[in-house]
């Protein structure tokens, strides 16, 4: 826990989390769904303490589960994912990739892919992603950008980026 708090206070390549949170009224913390073994119960408490101490009100914090097109994580699964205390005292919500009304259209990529991302993330003043770093076919490594796409992307975006044009591309390899 001390190592994580030290990393939040003295990160590599960016300002400390407390400084980034200053003056913000809303925050979206993105966590992987139950299919990824991320230690959210260890990561979330110091992150939440840090941003709340910096002035982000608890009522403005959303913990958004990056389900991509997977099923929601609710009940006992949610408790397993974030811990009982956080599940009970914070707004924990699932991404719904097939509900287009929950997404914001951000434009089209140079490859012609429409970009639809969960508006709870796009509209938050402070955006935080957590995750697991492991080798992944196509993406190089999981975590990071994969929390946004496919994790928070709409169906049309996921269908394209995880479709045959990209999966079967000659450069899509480990």
């Amino acid at each position: 826990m001390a190592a994580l708090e030290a990393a939040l206070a003295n990160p590599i390549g960016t300002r400390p989390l407390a400084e980034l949170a200053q003056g913000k009224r809303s925050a979206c913390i993105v966590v992987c769904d139950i299919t990824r073994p991320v230690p959210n119960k260890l990561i979330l408490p110091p992150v939440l303490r840090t941003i709340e101490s910096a002035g982000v009100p608890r009522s403005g914090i959303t913990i958004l589960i990056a389900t991509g097109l997977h099923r929601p994580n609710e009940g006992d699964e949610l408790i397993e994912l974030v811990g009982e205390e956080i599940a009970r005292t914070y707004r924990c919500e699932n991404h719904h990739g097939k509900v287009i009304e929950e997404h914001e259209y951000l434009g089209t990529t140079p490859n012609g892919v429409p970009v639809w991302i969960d508006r709870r993330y796009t509209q938050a003043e402070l955006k935080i992603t957590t995750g697991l770093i492991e080798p992944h076919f196509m993406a190089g490594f999981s975590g990071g950008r994969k929390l946004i796409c496919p994790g928070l992307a709409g169906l049309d975006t996921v269908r394209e980026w995880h479709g045959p044009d990209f999966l079967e591309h000659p450069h899509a390899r480990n």
Side-chain angles (χ1 to χ4, degrees), residues 4-24 47 50-51 54 125-128:
L4 179 54
E5 290 185 9
L8 295 173
N10 300 294
I12 298 169
T14 188
R15 297 179 315 193
L17 180 57
E19 198 176 306
L20 295 172
Q22 286 289 325
K24 305 292 192 293
V47 169
T50 301
I51 65 174
E125 291 181 88
L126 179 64
K127 299 166 180 70
I128 300 170

Side-chain angles (χ1 to χ4, degrees), residues 1-138:
M1 189 72 74
L4 179 54
E5 290 185 9
L8 295 173
N10 300 294
I12 298 169
T14 188
R15 297 179 315 193
L17 180 57
E19 198 176 306
L20 295 172
Q22 286 289 325
K24 305 292 192 293
R25 303 300 299 157
S26 64
C28 182
I29 303 170
V30 182
V31 298
C32 294
D33 71 1
I34 200 75
T35 66
R36 303 288 182 265
V38 179
N40 295 308
K41 290 183 256 186
L42 294 174
I43 295 170
L44 287 173
V47 169
L48 291 164
R49 273 194 307 276
T50 301
I51 65 174
E52 285 184 89
S53 293
V56 179
R58 187 171 292 199
S59 62
I61 298 171
T62 300
I63 297 170
L64 186 55
I65 304 164
T67 59
L69 298 178
H70 298 168
R71 63 178 168 67
N73 300 164
E74 300 169 332
D76 289 340
E77 263 187 0
L78 178 62
I79 291 169
E80 182 182 339
L81 197 63
V82 299
E84 187 172 352
E85 173 80 11
I86 290 172
R88 186 172 38 77
T89 59
Y90 286 87
R91 181 176 40 243
C92 298
E93 299 180 354
N94 285 277
H95 166 73
H96 306 106
K98 296 177 183 174
V99 182
I100 196 66
E101 299 79 25
E102 293 182 3
H103 296 79
E104 182 174 344
Y105 177 68
L106 301 178
T108 303
T109 70
N111 293 346
V113 178
V115 179
W116 292 91
I117 302 295
D118 195 303
R119 73 177 63 250
R120 290 169 286 191
Y121 178 77
T122 61
Q123 293 180 0
E125 291 181 88
L126 179 64
K127 299 166 180 70
I128 300 170
T129 58
T130 65
L132 173 69
I133 300 172
E134 65 182 353
H136 187 277
F137 177 69
M138 281 188 352

Side-chain angles (χ1 to χ4, degrees), residues 152-170:
L152 299 182
L155 176 62
D156 290 342
T157 305
V158 175
R159 187 179 290 147
E160 289 293 322
W161 282 118
H162 273 49
D165 288 348
F166 289 97
L167 290 174
E168 296 171 5
H169 192 280

